[in-house]
Amino acid sequence: MAPNPDLTSFEALSFDCFGTIIDEDAGMLRTLDLLVAQKEVSEKKDSRALLDRLHALIFEIEHKMPALAYNEVLVGAIMRLAKENDMPITDGLAEPFGNSAGTWLPFPDSIDALSRLKKYYPTFAILSNIDNNSIKATVEQRLAPIKFEGLYTAQDIGSYKPSVRNFEYLAGHMRKEFNLDCDRGQVLHVAHSVVADHVPCKQLGRRSVWISRGEDEKKCVDKVGGKDKVGYEWRFQTLGDFAGEVERQFKQKEISAQRPSS
């Protein structure tokens, strides 16, 4: 993987939202902290120790019941997690957790990075494993004033990433609504999840950038069966780092264009 391949040829960006732009782990941990705090035993589970299991349960439910809305997936996952760990849980905790995704906050770098990226890529789309109410609250309340021209959710598609069906849905709508072709390299996909996003991008030959957010590359790649299973061409720790490299490349391109030919 070259250190800085060309980022200036794309006309639009598609984003995974939760984990890439929105700090979903922080949002989930707020509820896990409440669950742990009310456990009536001397030895309590650690919230962070439960987080990986919660993600696994969410993934399992999504793919067993692809038509189930994400807010209901969250309710099912937190109920199962509580049962597995002999923790008391009520509807007063489970139902609010199911509807909490729209309240989760962006990473500290997200809004500034998106504002900078928007100068170079006028069309933004989100492809997310989320329900419609949560994405509406997210873009209108958490990500304002950034505008996303396309919003494509698992609830509308009827399946969850990493199904290639979701990426084909994205491609169809980008072509129909914006005359942009994902298969011809006009759209760059920006995502955190190696499993949900970069594996299907590889399968479809789509170009992508990994926002790793502190993840260990070897562990992530080994989890999906090796580097030949993923196809991201760029890796940045944060969305802000990605925006910085985009700015650098576009400015360098502008300087080069202004130089007189010899």
Side-chain angles (χ1 to χ4, degrees):
M1 188 167 59
N4 294 302
D6 183 23
L7 288 161
T8 67
S9 63
F10 300 97
E11 298 178 42
L13 300 179
S14 59
F15 294 89
D16 167 56
C17 187
F18 295 87
T20 303
I21 300 172
I22 297 292
D23 190 352
E24 67 174 354
D25 281 358
M28 290 180 178
L29 280 168
R30 286 197 294 272
T31 297
L32 290 176
D33 286 343
L34 293 174
L35 188 61
V36 166
Q38 67 182 26
K39 184 169 173 57
E40 297 174 356
V41 295
S42 57
E43 184 179 347
K44 294 180 179 179
K45 291 280 186 177
D46 178 77
S47 300
R48 289 192 174 273
L50 295 171
L51 186 60
D52 285 346
R53 179 55 182 159
L54 180 62
H55 279 301
L57 288 168
I58 290 169
F59 186 88
E60 181 181 328
I61 295 170
E62 284 175 345
H63 296 86
K64 283 186 176 180
M65 293 179 281
L68 191 66
Y70 186 73
N71 59 315
E72 296 184 35
V73 170
L74 288 182
V75 172
I78 198 74
M79 295 289 285
R80 284 182 57 183
L81 184 73
K83 183 176 181 181
E84 286 179 358
N85 290 277
D86 192 29
M87 292 177 168
I89 188 169
T90 65
D91 289 344
L93 185 61
E95 292 296 333
F97 179 64
N99 295 316
S100 67
T103 71
W104 299 342
L105 300 176
F107 288 100
D109 64 293
S110 291
I111 300 299
D112 176 67
L114 291 169
S115 297
R116 292 153 62 197
L117 290 166
K118 194 71 168 178
K119 298 174 185 176
Y120 303 101
Y121 310 107
T123 303
F124 279 2
I126 285 177
L127 178 68
S128 179
N129 283 353
I130 197 67
D131 60 279
N132 292 336
N133 287 337
S134 294
I135 199 62
K136 185 175 186 293
T138 296
V139 297
E140 291 181 358
Q141 300 173 31
R142 311 300 162 198
L143 299 180
I146 308 301
K147 183 178 180 183
F148 292 86
E149 286 69 26
L151 296 174
Y152 311 117
T153 67
Q155 185 170 7
D156 283 339
I157 299 166
S159 59
Y160 285 91
K161 298 182 293 181
S163 172
V164 295
R165 184 169 179 259
N166 294 57
F167 288 86
E168 290 169 343
Y169 184 97
L170 168 70
H173 280 264
M174 295 298 284
R175 189 180 302 112
K176 180 180 178 180
E177 296 172 29
F178 310 112
N179 196 30
L180 293 167
D181 196 328
C182 293
D183 295 313
R184 292 177 59 190
Q186 292 179 305
V187 182
L188 177 64
H189 191 59
V190 184
H192 169 68
S193 177
V194 171
V195 174
D197 292 88
H198 296 294
V199 168
C201 279
K202 172 70 171 182
Q203 292 171 339
L204 292 169
R206 305 273 170 79
R207 302 182 75 183
S208 65
V209 53
W210 182 30
I211 308 300
S212 55
R213 297 278 180 204
E215 295 277 9
D216 180 272
E217 184 173 29
K218 186 177 186 305
K219 287 181 180 179
C220 290
V221 169
D222 287 349
K223 185 177 179 180
V224 298
K227 283 193 173 182
D228 61 328
K229 301 294 184 182
V230 296
Y232 54 85
E233 298 171 61
W234 302 262
R235 176 191 175 185
F236 299 95
Q237 282 292 336
T238 69
L239 208 57
D241 292 340
F242 170 52
E245 177 61 16
V246 166
E247 287 178 323
R248 188 195 69 79
Q249 289 195 17
F250 272 96
K251 287 175 182 176
Q252 185 60 48
K253 187 175 184 179
E254 182 180 349
I255 291 170
S256 298
Q258 291 172 351
R259 289 174 182 159
S261 56
S262 56

PDB file of all heavy atoms in Angstrom, residues 1 64 74 139 144:
ATOM      1  N   MET A   1       0.852  -1.184   0.000  1.00  0.00           N
ATOM      2  CA  MET A   1       0.000   0.000   0.000  1.00  0.00           C
ATOM      3  C   MET A   1       0.889   1.235   0.000  1.00  0.00           C
ATOM      4  O   MET A   1       1.663   1.457   0.925  1.00  0.00           O
ATOM      5  CB  MET A   1      -0.926  -0.006   1.216  1.00  0.00           C
ATOM      6  CG  MET A   1      -1.976   1.075   1.207  1.00  0.00           C
ATOM      7  SD  MET A   1      -3.266   0.788   2.457  1.00  0.00           S
ATOM      8  CE  MET A   1      -2.304   0.761   3.962  1.00  0.00           C
ATOM      9  N   LYS A  64     -29.190 -12.733  11.522  1.00  0.00           N
ATOM     10  CA  LYS A  64     -30.261 -13.716  11.649  1.00  0.00           C
ATOM     11  C   LYS A  64     -31.609 -13.112  11.274  1.00  0.00           C
ATOM     12  O   LYS A  64     -32.488 -13.797  10.758  1.00  0.00           O
ATOM     13  CB  LYS A  64     -30.321 -14.272  13.082  1.00  0.00           C
ATOM     14  CG  LYS A  64     -29.249 -15.298  13.385  1.00  0.00           C
ATOM     15  CD  LYS A  64     -29.457 -15.903  14.768  1.00  0.00           C
ATOM     16  CE  LYS A  64     -28.441 -17.008  15.043  1.00  0.00           C
ATOM     17  NZ  LYS A  64     -28.629 -17.606  16.399  1.00  0.00           N
ATOM     18  N   LEU A  74     -30.791  -3.446  18.878  1.00  0.00           N
ATOM     19  CA  LEU A  74     -30.128  -3.019  20.107  1.00  0.00           C
ATOM     20  C   LEU A  74     -30.850  -3.523  21.347  1.00  0.00           C
ATOM     21  O   LEU A  74     -30.212  -3.960  22.317  1.00  0.00           O
ATOM     22  CB  LEU A  74     -30.034  -1.487  20.148  1.00  0.00           C
ATOM     23  CG  LEU A  74     -29.047  -0.813  19.209  1.00  0.00           C
ATOM     24  CD1 LEU A  74     -29.062   0.701  19.431  1.00  0.00           C
ATOM     25  CD2 LEU A  74     -27.633  -1.355  19.385  1.00  0.00           C
ATOM     26  N   VAL A 139     -28.126  13.125  11.650  1.00  0.00           N
ATOM     27  CA  VAL A 139     -27.690  14.129  10.671  1.00  0.00           C
ATOM     28  C   VAL A 139     -28.276  15.508  10.978  1.00  0.00           C
ATOM     29  O   VAL A 139     -27.644  16.533  10.710  1.00  0.00           O
ATOM     30  CB  VAL A 139     -28.013  13.706   9.231  1.00  0.00           C
ATOM     31  CG1 VAL A 139     -27.266  12.424   8.864  1.00  0.00           C
ATOM     32  CG2 VAL A 139     -29.503  13.517   9.010  1.00  0.00           C
ATOM     33  N   ALA A 144     -25.095  18.477  12.193  1.00  0.00           N
ATOM     34  CA  ALA A 144     -25.342  19.798  11.608  1.00  0.00           C
ATOM     35  C   ALA A 144     -24.118  20.683  11.859  1.00  0.00           C
ATOM     36  O   ALA A 144     -23.484  20.585  12.915  1.00  0.00           O
ATOM     37  CB  ALA A 144     -26.589  20.415  12.228  1.00  0.00           C
TER      38      ALA A 144
END
